[in-house]
Amino acid sequence: MKSTLRGADVVARTLAHAGIERLFSLSGNHIMSIYDATLDTGIDIVHVRHEAAAVHMADAWARLSGEAGIALLTGGPGHANGVSALFTALSSESPIVLISGHAPLSQLGSGAFQEMRQADIAEPLTKASWVVSELATLGDAIGRALRIAVSGRPGPVHISVPDDLLDAVIDTEAFPLPPADAFKRVPQPLPASLAKEFMDILGAAKRPLILTGPFAATRAAGDMVNTLQDATGVPVVTLESPRGFNEPCLGAFAEVLATADCVLLLGKQPDFTLGFLKPPIVDKSCRLLQIDPDETALQRMNAAAPAFEHLPVQFRADAVSATEALVAQAASRHSGAAWRDEVAQAIHYRPAEWETARGAHQNSLHAVEVCAAIQPLLDAHPDAVLICDGGEFSQWAQACLQAGHRVINGPAGAIGAGLPFAMAARLAYPDSPVISIMGDGSIGFHLAEFDTAVRHDLPFVAVVGNDACWNAEYQIQLRKYGPERTVGCELLSTRYDRVAEVLGGHGEYVTNAGALADALRKANASGKPACVNIAVDRTPAPVIRRQ
């Protein structure tokens, strides 16, 4: 008698064959057969409280582990709940695969339960999105999804799998596992001759820069940035925040960018984070070079070119392959030591008055005070992980804190992922401190995930800057309309620390600087998912300019 496999078994076995050891998921009707199939493969399921949290966890896992992250969601509203989180992953160049259950193929068009055009909904937020329609191609579809996610400019891919396909059976002999290279990155190489041309131009410049995009900040990029900078002698700067060349961790970098005479965009899109390359953000006499895997990014550079004195030099290749080729052609380091020092000094610049910044009120702290107390926790371990959610408070953390690993909300500028990111970080670095910086607005998005962290024993410290306000929006309204016309910004001074305690975690509440260090120490030592709820000023995000 021939043995058979369900479609669900094909999914689980293919993922296991690809080296996937865990899925981030929330259960639902359409995917119960996959849950059952994972029991025979050893794949672990991290079961969350909201579908978007599963996608955020897959995103952070991909950035920190160097592996593709896999989110598994049910169909219909479950799929729709998770889709919004794809935009953060797409903007952050994070390779994830979202596998969604789907209404049965046999019932499509007849008003099936939770029938939805899922692939169409996900398509604008992914590199590729489709519905698998044949059981015989299901394993190959998973391989293709993983391969697309990690190739070129990394990013999310979605496949929907109808539940009658998951329940259908196939002879075991008729299901060959995809070959190992089916899951691997497909290189887009930079020819050696062109790599030499790029290096010759950079070498002849007096003030050259290499700018990389969010992918260069991930573990998958490894030591790519450091290797490239060491080999070429050209400063390499990674831009991964919505504020781009003005992002808080880059200090006064905008000043040196404006004086560069040659800039190579290495997988960095010429978008809003670079002010669309409009002079004087980059000087009109600057030589522009570009290596990018996507034709659309090359076209954007061409659209910006008329504002410059020189035509750009461009080639289509992926950042990893191009880096390897550039390093191989870096016969000698760029001689501009003074320029390298100037760039480093600009990036590390922070205003002197920050050192004495204190809370404006007796029962609140300035964000700089909070960061000063957090840094020792991050210094305690070389693989400490710093998570920065969106909002004004978290931008102070980006400016002030250093850690072995960092995950931020990325160019999308979305907020709310801080808790899911922290859980994924704990999985990626189980022996390291994980500190997630959040505002009181952003923690509300996924507050119930403290329950997930408790169930899965994933301790971390969430530091909440509580100003009882949607402060980013409040600051916009203050600037544009004045203090008498602020609306929709007020929150309660909620005791989020107590919410964490009720859900099984640890809570600390701080209203003065003297108590902060001890509260952080106790939270970190608790061995539980912890919330340190800190009353802070309504301080706008830092803007760094040298006098």
Side-chain angles (χ1 to χ4, degrees), residues 90-106:
L90 180 69
S91 300
S92 300
E93 301 175 359
S94 183
I96 70 172
V97 174
L98 169 59
I99 301 173
S100 297
H102 192 278
L105 283 173
S106 60

Side-chain angles (χ1 to χ4, degrees), residues 438-444 464-470 491-493 496 533:
M438 313 180 69
D440 54 334
S442 59
I443 196 172
V464 179
N466 191 338
D467 54 16
C469 183
W470 292 101
L491 295 171
L492 298 175
S493 298
Y496 300 103
N533 185 18

Side-chain angles (χ1 to χ4, degrees), residues 59 63 84-94 124-126 153-156 213-215 239-242 267-269 271-273 408-414:
D59 175 3
R63 296 196 227 177
S84 63
L86 290 172
F87 186 54
T88 294
L90 180 69
S91 300
S92 300
E93 301 175 359
S94 183
L125 304 177
T126 58
R153 173 173 285 107
F215 175 63
L239 306 181
E240 58 167 336
S241 128
K268 174 69 191 85
Q269 299 197 57
D271 57 12
F272 75 99
T273 62
I408 70 170
N409 62 330

Side-chain angles (χ1 to χ4, degrees), residues 158-169:
H158 162 254
I159 58 173
S160 275
V161 186
D163 60 5
D164 53 355
L165 215 63
L166 293 172
D167 290 332
V169 296

